[in-house]
Amino acid sequence: MNEQGKKEPIKFRKRAPKHEPELEYERFDTNIEKGLSTEQIDLRITQGLVNVTNDESSMTTKKIICSNVFTYFNLIFFILAIVLLYEGSYNNLTFLIVVFVNTVIGIIQELKSKRTLDKLKLVSAPETIVIRNGKQEHIPSDQLVLDDIVIFDAGNQICADAIVCSGELTVNESLVTGESDEIRKRPGDVLLSGSFVVSGRASARLDKVGNESFAARLSNDAKKIKKKQQPGMMKSLTSLIQIIGVIIIPFAVLMFWNQHIIIGLSEKVSVENTAASVIGMIPEGLYLLTSVALVASTIRLAKKNTLVHDMKCIETLARVDMLCVDKTGTITEPQMNVAEIIPLPNDSLEEWETQIVDFVYSMNADNETMKALKTYWSDATPNHRAVRIKGFSSATKYSAADFGADNAYILGAPEMILRESTANLQNMIAQHSSQGERVLLFASYAYEKNGEDDIFNGGVLGKMVTPLALITLSNAIRPQAKETFAYFENQGVSIKVISGDNPMTAAIAAQKAGIAGADRYIDVSTLKSKEEIAHAALKYTVFGRVTPDQKRLLIRSMKKSGHTVAMTGDGVNDVLALKDADCSIAMASGSEAAANVSDLVLLDSDFSGMPHVVAEGRRVINNIERSASLFLVKNIFSFILSLISLISVSLYPLKPAQISLVSALMIGIPSFFLALEPNEEMVHGKFLRNVLYRALPAALTAVILVVWSLLFAETFQIKTELASTVSFFLYAFAAYLMLYRVCKPMNTWHGILFALMGSAFILAVTFIPEWFQIAKLDYNSALILSPLLLLTLPIENALQRLFIQMTIWKQRLIHACKRKRPSKSDKKA
């Protein structure tokens, strides 16, 4: 109140950039029936009070170009080019062609990906029901403004902080607070952005929007504390490039000092030798190739109606060996149909059908079961409306309605409503469950208002339940389900069915879909501890009567046992588990909350597209591992050879143009094509270890042969330019043999690629040898080269076998250490 006793208008304080004063705006007391007017909306847009957050997932065109052009290694290449130009060594600038092509390809692919994903994001952008100018509208959530009146339903994710004006909701705030309890929200209560609606329907006024909302501030604070962790492959590559970036500058300085000051070579030759060693150590196309492959994969998935929210999931997909699915919407069609209404003994259907119709018409159609019931009784006319309702919750497995005058009814899973009192109905329930039908119990419920058993006010379901009828529902198995699950079985991916349904119902559906081990099922509601759930996670295939928290525990247990777990889901009951899975896949036709937290969204909601998604992940990782080994052969060879040159105070034998020729024909061009071809093999082991295991034998072979040739050249007093040429041919041949290994199995396409690269190399050294500083070999130098070329394959094979044997020895040693390690019981004794 002010001094005159008048009520001051409520104001909204908007945070301003640093060193600028905070701005205050007057709030609107929005009418929940009419909403904001056009003038008020325009004012809010002018004030910048729109529900738009800083989206760093989509880069601008300018950022894409800058991120590809202005890189650390491009700076080094630019400096080397200037120095070589200054020295007049024009033919050694060949590496700039590779750098230019790499940069252009990277920019083109990323721009293409941006356009494709931006189109998909428009199609899949979350929408919200808003009341404006007295009418309901569906608009994108990022077009909402402060003080808008919005309507939230079950399955919606709260898009901005809001205050409930009318109606009631049950929300889950675990995604923003970590607390997984379902919380009832009544008029006047605050809804936090990022939480999701479990049940109910309510109107709410937006209280904080955009970057001022709780979820946005939480996200910004998290970014300040810790950047999002990169997946294994990208993390390994980033670490590798950072290490190379640190050591390359002192190496370059030492190399020039060694060649020019110690050995006494001319400034031009010293610069050329230094440039050659530096260029050889830079994996100029490796990181780019990886990024391009991931981007290309994102585009291919987009063309198959799959939206990638997080690119790291593509690598995770390649390593998935366990896939968790729901019954409804994955194994079966999402739409359900009422199969039968069964009045319980001594009752007739007519006696209770009126109450069932009243119940159904009092509830919101916020799940597939209720939609099916409303469709079945679409021609019926209700007589009464409920005065209190409790929407369906995956945690309790029932919904309820109170019509006053001691007329309350409950509908849901018989086991959850009657608990231990289901014995009388067990045979009937089992009969229908064995046919794959979902069985619901409709019962009357007596409770004390505001008492402990008042389920409409947060109480616990009591025992005063009287069964009245059973309702059975069915939904058809998806046509491609058998084929899809057969693919995963052939690929070594285990399937787990996690459902809120009766375990027998879920198991029958799984058997019809051809899922292996579907006869191993369990009612998870009977498991009382985390340890029991962890034990069951690996023992059983089908899990029934699972609550959202139990779904999450099952996923965590599977991950803890060493599996890479992917999960598909479409409902709010899947959100917690989707968040915890290594890779989460949502159906676009499902809840908004599930789609928002998932790594991938199947826009056509067709699970039969999953084999393409998994195959895409395997294609990318397998091919990048294979191509990366080509790059590391050059890097390891150049690093070791430079180190030997520094320690022995000897001439670095290769020239920049020679390194560039091998990089282009034996590494860059073939790796680009190999990285984009189909490859569905299961991915095993760690990325960097796999790549080093492949690259080291070839790199060490090249080092051994080149050092050997230099020793012979010094002994027989071979000219420097001839020794350099011999070294070049030995390195090129070792790299070509590595290309042969990478091309295996040698199909027609691989054979053509291998032959073309070899032919191009022969043409280059035959017709323009001067450009690559290749001297014509005399008798003595040819005599050194010939036997060493013949030794290349035997040496590489010997090193390959040595590495295999070392791996075996390592595994035996680890196994022996584990056997000798005393058990916990031994320690206690």
Side-chain angles (χ1 to χ4, degrees), residues 516-572:
D519 57 327
R520 299 195 302 272
Y521 60 88
I522 187 172
D523 185 340
V524 180
S525 65
T526 63
L527 304 178
K528 303 304 179 185
S529 67
K530 292 181 180 180
E531 290 74 21
E532 288 180 323
I533 291 175
H535 177 72
L538 300 179
K539 183 178 179 181
Y540 296 96
T541 300
V542 179
F543 305 86
R545 296 297 180 219
V546 187
T547 65
D549 276 336
Q550 288 172 331
K551 279 191 179 185
R552 180 163 60 175
L553 286 172
L554 285 168
I555 295 294
R556 287 178 175 176
S557 298
M558 294 169 192
K559 289 173 61 178
K560 195 174 181 180
S561 64
H563 293 284
T564 302
V565 183
M567 179 179 172
T568 63
D570 59 0
V572 291

Coordinates of all heavy atoms in Angstrom, one line a residue, residues 516-572:
A516 N 12.7 -62.8 -27.8 CA 13.3 -63.9 -27.1 C 13.2 -63.8 -25.6 O 13.4 -62.7 -25.0 CB 14.8 -64.1 -27.5
G517 N 12.9 -64.9 -24.9 CA 12.8 -64.9 -23.5 C 11.6 -64.3 -22.9 O 11.6 -63.9 -21.7
A518 N 10.6 -64.1 -23.7 CA 9.3 -63.4 -23.3 C 8.6 -64.2 -22.2 O 7.7 -63.7 -21.5 CB 8.4 -63.1 -24.5
D519 N 8.9 -65.5 -22.1 CA 8.3 -66.3 -21.0 C 8.8 -66.0 -19.6 O 8.3 -66.5 -18.6 CB 8.4 -67.8 -21.4 CG 9.9 -68.2 -21.5 OD1 10.7 -67.4 -22.0 OD2 10.2 -69.3 -21.2
R520 N 9.9 -65.3 -19.6 CA 10.5 -64.9 -18.3 C 10.0 -63.5 -17.9 O 10.5 -62.5 -18.3 CB 12.0 -64.9 -18.4 CG 12.7 -66.2 -18.7 CD 14.2 -66.2 -18.4 NE 14.9 -65.1 -19.2 CZ 15.4 -65.2 -20.4 NH1 15.2 -66.4 -21.1 NH2 16.0 -64.2 -21.0
Y521 N 8.9 -63.5 -17.1 CA 8.3 -62.2 -16.7 C 8.1 -62.2 -15.2 O 8.1 -63.2 -14.5 CB 6.9 -62.0 -17.5 CG 5.9 -63.1 -17.2 CD1 5.0 -63.0 -16.1 CD2 5.7 -64.2 -18.1 CE1 4.0 -64.0 -15.9 CE2 4.8 -65.2 -17.8 CZ 3.9 -65.0 -16.7 OH 3.0 -66.0 -16.5
I522 N 7.9 -60.9 -14.7 CA 7.8 -60.7 -13.3 C 6.9 -59.5 -13.0 O 6.9 -58.5 -13.8 CB 9.2 -60.6 -12.6 CG1 9.0 -60.5 -11.1 CG2 9.9 -59.3 -13.2 CD1 10.3 -60.5 -10.4
D523 N 6.2 -59.6 -11.9 CA 5.4 -58.5 -11.4 C 6.3 -57.7 -10.5 O 6.6 -58.1 -9.4 CB 4.1 -59.0 -10.7 CG 3.2 -57.9 -10.2 OD1 3.7 -56.7 -10.2 OD2 2.0 -58.2 -9.9
V524 N 6.7 -56.5 -11.0 CA 7.7 -55.7 -10.2 C 7.1 -55.1 -9.0 O 7.8 -54.8 -8.0 CB 8.2 -54.6 -11.2 CG1 9.3 -53.7 -10.4 CG2 8.9 -55.2 -12.4
S525 N 5.7 -55.0 -8.9 CA 5.1 -54.5 -7.7 C 5.4 -55.4 -6.5 O 5.2 -55.0 -5.3 CB 3.6 -54.3 -7.9 OG 3.0 -55.6 -8.1
T526 N 5.8 -56.7 -6.8 CA 6.1 -57.6 -5.7 C 7.5 -57.4 -5.1 O 7.9 -58.0 -4.1 CB 5.9 -59.1 -6.1 OG1 6.8 -59.3 -7.2 CG2 4.5 -59.3 -6.6
L527 N 8.3 -56.7 -5.8 CA 9.7 -56.4 -5.4 C 9.8 -55.3 -4.5 O 9.3 -54.2 -4.8 CB 10.6 -56.2 -6.7 CG 10.6 -57.3 -7.8 CD1 11.5 -56.8 -8.9 CD2 11.0 -58.6 -7.2
K528 N 10.4 -55.5 -3.3 CA 10.3 -54.4 -2.3 C 11.6 -53.7 -2.0 O 11.6 -52.6 -1.4 CB 9.9 -55.1 -0.9 CG 8.6 -55.9 -1.0 CD 7.4 -55.0 -1.5 CE 6.1 -55.8 -1.5 NZ 5.0 -55.0 -2.1
S529 N 12.7 -54.1 -2.6 CA 14.0 -53.4 -2.4 C 14.7 -53.1 -3.7 O 14.4 -53.8 -4.7 CB 14.9 -54.2 -1.5 OG 15.3 -55.4 -2.1
K530 N 15.6 -52.2 -3.6 CA 16.5 -51.9 -4.8 C 17.3 -53.1 -5.2 O 17.6 -53.3 -6.4 CB 17.4 -50.7 -4.5 CG 16.6 -49.4 -4.4 CD 17.6 -48.3 -4.1 CE 16.9 -46.9 -3.9 NZ 17.8 -45.8 -3.7
E531 N 17.7 -53.9 -4.2 CA 18.6 -55.1 -4.5 C 17.8 -56.1 -5.3 O 18.3 -56.7 -6.2 CB 19.1 -55.7 -3.2 CG 20.1 -54.9 -2.5 CD 19.5 -53.6 -1.8 OE1 18.3 -53.6 -1.5 OE2 20.3 -52.7 -1.5
E532 N 16.5 -56.3 -4.9 CA 15.6 -57.2 -5.6 C 15.4 -56.8 -7.1 O 15.4 -57.6 -8.0 CB 14.3 -57.4 -4.9 CG 14.4 -58.2 -3.6 CD 13.0 -58.3 -2.9 OE1 12.2 -57.3 -3.0 OE2 12.7 -59.3 -2.4
I533 N 15.2 -55.5 -7.3 CA 15.0 -55.0 -8.6 C 16.3 -55.1 -9.4 O 16.2 -55.5 -10.6 CB 14.6 -53.5 -8.5 CG1 13.2 -53.4 -8.0 CG2 14.6 -52.8 -9.9 CD1 12.7 -51.9 -7.7
A534 N 17.4 -54.9 -8.8 CA 18.7 -55.0 -9.5 C 18.9 -56.4 -10.0 O 19.4 -56.7 -11.1 CB 19.9 -54.5 -8.7
H535 N 18.6 -57.4 -9.1 CA 18.7 -58.8 -9.4 C 17.8 -59.2 -10.6 O 18.2 -59.9 -11.5 CB 18.5 -59.7 -8.2 CG 18.5 -61.1 -8.4 ND1 19.7 -61.8 -8.7 CD2 17.5 -62.1 -8.5 CE1 19.5 -63.1 -8.9 NE2 18.2 -63.3 -8.8
A536 N 16.6 -58.7 -10.5 CA 15.6 -59.0 -11.5 C 15.9 -58.4 -12.9 O 15.5 -59.0 -13.9 CB 14.2 -58.6 -11.1
A537 N 16.6 -57.3 -12.9 CA 16.9 -56.6 -14.1 C 17.5 -57.4 -15.2 O 17.2 -57.3 -16.4 CB 17.7 -55.3 -13.8
L538 N 18.4 -58.3 -14.8 CA 19.1 -59.1 -15.7 C 18.5 -60.5 -15.8 O 18.8 -61.2 -16.8 CB 20.6 -59.2 -15.3 CG 21.4 -57.9 -15.2 CD1 22.8 -58.2 -14.7 CD2 21.4 -57.2 -16.5
K539 N 17.7 -60.9 -14.9 CA 17.2 -62.3 -14.9 C 16.0 -62.4 -15.8 O 15.8 -63.4 -16.4 CB 16.8 -62.7 -13.4 CG 16.3 -64.1 -13.3 CD 16.0 -64.5 -11.8 CE 15.5 -65.9 -11.7 NZ 15.2 -66.2 -10.3
Y540 N 15.1 -61.4 -15.8 CA 13.9 -61.4 -16.5 C 13.9 -60.6 -17.8 O 14.7 -59.7 -17.9 CB 12.7 -61.0 -15.6 CG 12.5 -61.8 -14.4 CD1 13.1 -61.5 -13.2 CD2 11.8 -63.0 -14.5 CE1 12.9 -62.3 -12.1 CE2 11.6 -63.8 -13.4 CZ 12.2 -63.5 -12.2 OH 12.0 -64.3 -11.1
T541 N 13.0 -60.9 -18.7 CA 12.8 -60.1 -20.0 C 11.7 -59.2 -19.9 O 11.7 -58.1 -20.5 CB 12.7 -61.1 -21.1 OG1 13.8 -62.0 -21.2 CG2 12.5 -60.4 -22.5
V542 N 10.5 -59.6 -19.3 CA 9.3 -58.8 -19.3 C 9.0 -58.4 -17.8 O 9.0 -59.2 -16.9 CB 8.1 -59.6 -19.9 CG1 6.9 -58.7 -19.8 CG2 8.4 -60.0 -21.3
F543 N 8.8 -57.1 -17.7 CA 8.5 -56.5 -16.3 C 7.2 -55.8 -16.4 O 6.9 -54.9 -17.2 CB 9.6 -55.5 -15.9 CG 11.0 -56.1 -16.0 CD1 11.7 -56.0 -17.2 CD2 11.6 -56.6 -14.9 CE1 13.0 -56.6 -17.3 CE2 12.9 -57.1 -14.9 CZ 13.6 -57.1 -16.1
G544 N 6.3 -56.3 -15.5 CA 4.9 -55.7 -15.5 C 4.7 -55.0 -14.2 O 5.4 -55.1 -13.2
R545 N 3.6 -54.1 -14.2 CA 3.2 -53.3 -13.1 C 4.4 -52.5 -12.5 O 4.7 -52.5 -11.3 CB 2.6 -54.2 -11.9 CG 1.3 -54.9 -12.3 CD 0.2 -53.9 -12.6 NE -1.0 -54.6 -13.0 CZ -1.8 -54.2 -13.9 NH1 -1.5 -53.1 -14.7 NH2 -3.0 -54.8 -14.2
V546 N 5.1 -51.8 -13.4 CA 6.3 -51.1 -13.1 C 5.9 -49.6 -12.9 O 5.2 -49.0 -13.7 CB 7.3 -51.2 -14.2 CG1 8.6 -50.5 -13.7 CG2 7.6 -52.6 -14.6
T547 N 6.3 -49.0 -11.8 CA 6.1 -47.6 -11.6 C 7.2 -46.8 -12.2 O 8.2 -47.3 -12.5 CB 6.0 -47.3 -10.0 OG1 7.3 -47.5 -9.5 CG2 5.0 -48.1 -9.3
P548 N 7.0 -45.5 -12.4 CA 8.1 -44.7 -13.0 C 9.4 -44.8 -12.3 O 10.5 -44.8 -12.9 CB 7.5 -43.2 -12.9 CG 6.0 -43.4 -13.0 CD 5.7 -44.7 -12.2
D549 N 9.4 -44.8 -10.9 CA 10.6 -44.9 -10.2 C 11.3 -46.2 -10.4 O 12.5 -46.3 -10.5 CB 10.3 -44.7 -8.7 CG 10.3 -43.2 -8.3 OD1 10.9 -42.4 -9.0 OD2 9.7 -42.8 -7.3
Q550 N 10.5 -47.3 -10.5 CA 11.0 -48.6 -10.7 C 11.6 -48.7 -12.1 O 12.6 -49.4 -12.3 CB 9.9 -49.7 -10.5 CG 9.5 -49.8 -9.0 CD 8.3 -50.7 -8.8 OE1 7.5 -50.8 -9.7 NE2 8.3 -51.4 -7.7
K551 N 11.0 -48.1 -13.1 CA 11.6 -48.1 -14.4 C 13.0 -47.5 -14.4 O 13.9 -48.0 -15.0 CB 10.7 -47.2 -15.4 CG 9.5 -47.9 -15.9 CD 8.8 -47.1 -17.0 CE 7.6 -47.9 -17.6 NZ 7.0 -47.2 -18.8
R552 N 13.1 -46.4 -13.7 CA 14.4 -45.7 -13.6 C 15.4 -46.7 -12.9 O 16.6 -46.8 -13.3 CB 14.3 -44.4 -12.8 CG 15.6 -43.7 -12.7 CD 15.4 -42.2 -12.3 NE 14.7 -42.1 -11.0 CZ 14.5 -40.9 -10.5 NH1 15.0 -39.8 -11.1 NH2 13.9 -40.8 -9.3
L553 N 15.0 -47.4 -11.8 CA 15.9 -48.3 -11.1 C 16.3 -49.4 -12.0 O 17.5 -49.9 -11.9 CB 15.2 -48.8 -9.8 CG 15.0 -47.9 -8.7 CD1 14.2 -48.5 -7.6 CD2 16.4 -47.5 -8.1
L554 N 15.4 -49.9 -12.8 CA 15.7 -51.0 -13.7 C 16.8 -50.6 -14.7 O 17.8 -51.3 -15.0 CB 14.5 -51.5 -14.5 CG 13.5 -52.4 -13.7 CD1 12.2 -52.5 -14.4 CD2 14.1 -53.7 -13.4
I555 N 16.6 -49.4 -15.3 CA 17.6 -48.8 -16.3 C 18.9 -48.7 -15.6 O 20.0 -49.0 -16.2 CB 17.1 -47.5 -16.8 CG1 15.8 -47.6 -17.6 CG2 18.2 -46.8 -17.7 CD1 15.9 -48.4 -18.9
R556 N 18.9 -48.1 -14.4 CA 20.2 -47.9 -13.7 C 20.9 -49.2 -13.4 O 22.1 -49.3 -13.5 CB 19.9 -47.1 -12.4 CG 19.6 -45.7 -12.6 CD 19.3 -45.0 -11.3 NE 19.1 -43.5 -11.4 CZ 18.8 -42.7 -10.5 NH1 18.6 -43.2 -9.2 NH2 18.6 -41.4 -10.7
S557 N 20.1 -50.2 -13.0 CA 20.7 -51.6 -12.7 C 21.3 -52.2 -14.0 O 22.4 -52.8 -13.9 CB 19.6 -52.5 -12.2 OG 19.1 -52.0 -11.0
M558 N 20.7 -52.0 -15.1 CA 21.2 -52.6 -16.3 C 22.5 -51.9 -16.7 O 23.5 -52.5 -17.2 CB 20.2 -52.4 -17.5 CG 18.9 -53.3 -17.3 SD 17.7 -52.9 -18.5 CE 16.2 -53.8 -17.8
K559 N 22.5 -50.5 -16.5 CA 23.7 -49.8 -16.8 C 24.9 -50.1 -15.9 O 26.0 -50.3 -16.3 CB 23.5 -48.3 -16.7 CG 22.6 -47.7 -17.8 CD 22.2 -46.3 -17.6 CE 23.4 -45.3 -17.5 NZ 23.0 -43.9 -17.3
K560 N 24.5 -50.3 -14.6 CA 25.5 -50.7 -13.6 C 26.2 -52.0 -13.9 O 27.4 -52.2 -13.6 CB 24.9 -50.7 -12.2 CG 25.9 -50.6 -11.1 CD 25.2 -50.5 -9.7 CE 26.2 -50.4 -8.6 NZ 25.6 -50.3 -7.3
S561 N 25.4 -52.9 -14.5 CA 26.0 -54.2 -14.8 C 26.9 -54.2 -16.1 O 27.3 -55.3 -16.5 CB 24.9 -55.2 -15.0 OG 24.0 -54.9 -16.1
G562 N 27.1 -53.0 -16.7 CA 28.0 -52.9 -17.8 C 27.4 -52.8 -19.2 O 28.0 -52.8 -20.2
H563 N 26.0 -52.8 -19.2 CA 25.3 -52.7 -20.5 C 25.2 -51.2 -21.0 O 25.1 -50.3 -20.1 CB 24.0 -53.3 -20.4 CG 24.0 -54.8 -20.2 ND1 24.3 -55.7 -21.2 CD2 23.8 -55.6 -19.1 CE1 24.2 -56.9 -20.8 NE2 24.0 -56.9 -19.5
T564 N 25.2 -51.0 -22.3 CA 24.8 -49.7 -22.8 C 23.4 -49.8 -23.2 O 22.9 -50.6 -24.1 CB 25.7 -49.4 -24.1 OG1 27.0 -49.5 -23.8 CG2 25.3 -48.1 -24.7
V565 N 22.6 -49.0 -22.5 CA 21.1 -49.2 -22.5 C 20.4 -48.0 -23.3 O 20.7 -46.9 -23.0 CB 20.5 -49.2 -21.1 CG1 19.0 -49.4 -21.1 CG2 21.2 -50.3 -20.3
A566 N 19.6 -48.4 -24.3 CA 18.7 -47.5 -25.0 C 17.3 -47.7 -24.5 O 16.9 -48.9 -24.2 CB 18.9 -47.6 -26.5
M567 N 16.5 -46.7 -24.5 CA 15.1 -46.9 -24.1 C 14.2 -46.1 -25.0 O 14.5 -45.0 -25.4 CB 14.9 -46.5 -22.7 CG 13.4 -46.6 -22.2 SD 13.1 -46.1 -20.5 CE 11.3 -46.2 -20.5
T568 N 13.0 -46.7 -25.4 CA 12.0 -46.0 -26.1 C 10.8 -45.8 -25.2 O 10.5 -46.6 -24.3 CB 11.5 -46.8 -27.3 OG1 10.9 -48.1 -26.8 CG2 12.7 -47.2 -28.2
G569 N 10.2 -44.6 -25.3 CA 9.0 -44.3 -24.5 C 8.2 -43.2 -25.1 O 8.6 -42.5 -26.0
D570 N 6.9 -43.1 -24.6 CA 6.1 -42.1 -25.2 C 5.2 -41.4 -24.1 O 4.5 -40.4 -24.4 CB 5.2 -42.6 -26.3 CG 4.3 -43.8 -25.8 OD1 4.4 -44.1 -24.6 OD2 3.5 -44.3 -26.6
G571 N 5.2 -41.9 -22.9 CA 4.4 -41.3 -21.9 C 5.1 -40.6 -20.8 O 6.4 -40.7 -20.7
V572 N 4.4 -39.9 -19.9 CA 5.0 -39.2 -18.8 C 5.6 -40.2 -17.8 O 6.5 -39.9 -17.1 CB 4.0 -38.3 -18.1 CG1 3.6 -37.1 -18.9 CG2 2.8 -39.0 -17.6

